[in-house]
Amino acid sequence: MEGASVTAFRLSVLLLTLLVADGYHTCSHHKVGPTVTQVTAPVNHGEGPHWDAETGVLFFVDIASELVNKYDPATNEVTHAQFVGGGVTLVIPVKGTKTQQLLTTRGHDVILVNWNQQNATFDSTTNVNNVTVIATVETEANKSGNRWNDGKADVNGRLWAGTMGPEPIVGQVTPDQGAFYLLKPDTKPITEVTPVSISNGLAWNRDNTLLYYIDTATDQVDVFDFNLEQATISNRRKVFNLQENGVAGHPDGMTIDSNENLWIACFDGGQVINVNPYSGELIQSVPIPASRVTSAMFGGPHLDTLYVTTSRLGLSDEEQQQQPLAGSVFAITGLGVSALAPANNALPNLGKHK
C-alpha cells in the first residue's frame, strides 16, 4: 500500500482501536454484526492459538519472546512458560493429560513439556527434566536459520506441521527453504511437501477427506485430498487466492467453521476473512485493529468465539503508536457460526522420544 491507501488504512486502524475496548460492531441495514474485543495485553508476536475444550482455556505462543501462553477467560489471567533457545511456534495439549503436558516447538525441535500452568522458565538448567525432544528436522548447515512454524493435530492425534526459512526482516522470508511434515507415533518426521517457503494454516473438512493448507508465499489456500486411515495427502489444488480476489494482506493461520467455511488471518491486511472453499466465494471480512493478523481459532463454552492472534513485531515506532493494541488476542463474537469440531489434541507417543 502506498500514499492515500496507507493513510486510509492507518485512519481505519485508529478508529477500530478507539472502538474495540467496548466491542466493535459492524452494522448493515440495522443488523448487528460481529463484535471484536481485546482480551489480552499485547505480546510481541502472538501466534498459534489452540482452544482446549476440556479445560476451557486458550493456549497461544509469542514466537519472538519464546513463550507459550495460557489465557483463562474465566479469570482473564494469562500465565506463561518460556523456552530459552529458540522461538516456540505451536502449542497443542496432549490427550489425556488435562493440559499438564503440551506438544510445542523450540527452534528445529518438537518437544513434549510437563508444565503446571504457572509462570516458568525452561532452559538448560531450569526445569530441564520436564522437556523431552521427540523430533528434530533440518539440521543441515544451509538450513540452520530455519524454524518450525504452524502445525495442528488431526482427529487421530498425529501432528501435521511445517517449517520456514530465515526471516531477517519481518515478512521477508528466504523462499523454498522449508517443508511440510507428518509426525506419527514412534517415528521420525515424514516429509510430505517440499519445498515450502512459509508453512502455515491448516484445517480439515467435516468428514476428514480434505486438508486445507497455506504456504503464505503463494498468497493462497490450497487443498489436498486427505486419507485419514493412511495419513496421506494427494492432488494439491488451489482453493482461494488473496491477490486474485483483491484481498489485502497475506494468508497466515486458518480455521474452519460449522458451515465448512474457512476463516483466514491476513498478515499485513488488518483483517480475518471468511471464504467458502467449495465455491471460492469471499463471504465476509472482519477488520482487526492490528495490521499483522496471524491466526484464528474458535473457542469459548459453545465454540462460537473466534480468537484472533496478532503481532507487533517489526512495526515502526509510528506504526506501534497507531496500533497500540497490536500483539493482543482479540475475541470475535456474533458471527453466527461455531467451530466445525473441537480442536484436536496430540497423541502422547508421537515421534522418537530421546
Side-chain angles (χ1 to χ4, degrees):
M1 294 184 297
E2 298 179 356
S5 62
V6 171
T7 301
F9 178 76
R10 288 173 175 171
L11 287 173
S12 67
V13 167
L14 284 170
L15 178 60
L16 280 171
T17 301
L18 291 171
L19 294 174
V20 75
D22 295 320
Y24 170 71
H25 299 267
T26 58
C27 300
S28 176
H29 302 294
H30 307 293
K31 294 180 180 179
V32 177
T35 299
V36 179
T37 306
Q38 179 195 21
V39 295
T40 74
V43 299
N44 285 318
H45 189 24
E47 255 285 12
H50 182 105
W51 177 264
D52 184 73
E54 181 180 352
T55 57
V57 298
L58 180 78
F59 291 94
F60 67 100
V61 301
D62 178 353
I63 297 174
S65 301
E66 304 179 320
L67 297 177
V68 166
N69 300 289
K70 185 195 76 170
Y71 164 64
D72 186 345
T75 62
N76 287 321
E77 183 183 18
V78 177
T79 53
H80 67 261
Q82 184 175 34
F83 295 87
V84 178
V88 294
T89 61
L90 61 88
V91 53
I92 305 171
V94 174
K95 289 183 177 183
T97 68
K98 295 188 181 296
T99 73
Q100 297 300 299
Q101 190 173 66
L102 304 175
L103 185 76
T104 186
T105 53
R106 183 170 59 189
H108 295 254
D109 297 332
V110 180
I111 62 177
L112 283 176
V113 57
N114 298 310
W115 180 38
N116 66 5
Q117 317 294 303
Q118 301 301 311
N119 295 335
T121 299
F122 294 81
D123 58 21
S124 59
T125 59
T126 306
N127 294 313
V128 65
N129 293 329
N130 292 325
V131 175
T132 303
V133 176
I134 62 171
T136 302
V137 298
E138 299 172 9
T139 57
E140 306 94 323
N142 65 339
K143 294 192 175 183
S144 61
N146 285 18
R147 64 164 172 81
W148 284 102
N149 199 41
D150 210 351
K152 290 181 180 178
D154 65 24
V155 71
N156 285 346
R158 299 164 298 208
L159 177 67
W160 298 79
T163 59
M164 57 182 280
E167 189 178 20
I169 299 174
V170 177
Q172 297 183 20
V173 174
T174 305
D176 296 334
Q177 284 282 97
F180 181 49
Y181 297 94
L182 164 64
L183 189 60
K184 299 194 293 186
D186 304 314
T187 64
K188 294 181 179 180
I190 301 166
T191 303
E192 296 288 340
V193 181
T194 188
V196 169
S197 293
I198 309 174
S199 191
N200 234 317
L202 298 168
W204 286 267
N205 69 334
R206 189 182 307 278
D207 60 5
N208 290 290
T209 58
L210 299 173
L211 171 59
Y212 298 102
Y213 174 71
I214 291 172
D215 177 352
T216 296
T218 66
D219 273 330
Q220 69 186 33
V221 180
D222 289 340
V223 65
F224 294 94
D225 292 329
F226 182 73
N227 186 309
L228 178 63
E229 181 180 353
Q230 300 296 325
T232 57
I233 56 176
S234 60
N235 191 25
R236 183 177 181 175
R237 55 212 182 267
K238 179 175 70 175
V239 168
F240 184 86
N241 185 286
L242 274 66
Q243 285 193 1
E244 292 173 1
N245 286 275
V247 175
H250 308 284
D252 203 321
M254 173 173 60
T255 192
I256 190 167
D257 68 27
S258 48
N259 293 329
E260 293 199 70
N261 295 322
L262 302 173
W263 290 86
I264 304 158
C266 298
F267 190 86
D268 279 342
Q271 61 186 330
V272 290
I273 59 172
N274 186 207
V275 170
N276 182 325
Y278 298 102
S279 67
E281 172 195 3
L282 176 61
I283 300 169
Q284 67 171 312
S285 168
V286 180
I288 302 295
S291 59
R292 294 187 161 166
V293 184
T294 57
S295 194
M297 165 66 68
F298 282 101
H302 306 291
L303 300 180
D304 57 357
T305 298
L306 187 66
Y307 287 102
V308 177
T309 53
T310 63
S311 175
R312 61 194 300 114
L313 193 68
L315 295 180
S316 66
D317 291 343
E318 180 185 5
E319 288 170 330
Q320 290 193 35
Q321 289 177 358
Q322 293 165 344
Q323 303 176 44
L325 303 185
S328 304
V329 176
F330 298 91
I332 306 178
T333 55
L335 291 171
V337 293
S338 58
L340 180 61
N344 302 315
N345 287 350
L347 289 171
N349 59 337
L350 293 177
K352 288 283 190 182
H353 293 228
K354 298 179 180 179

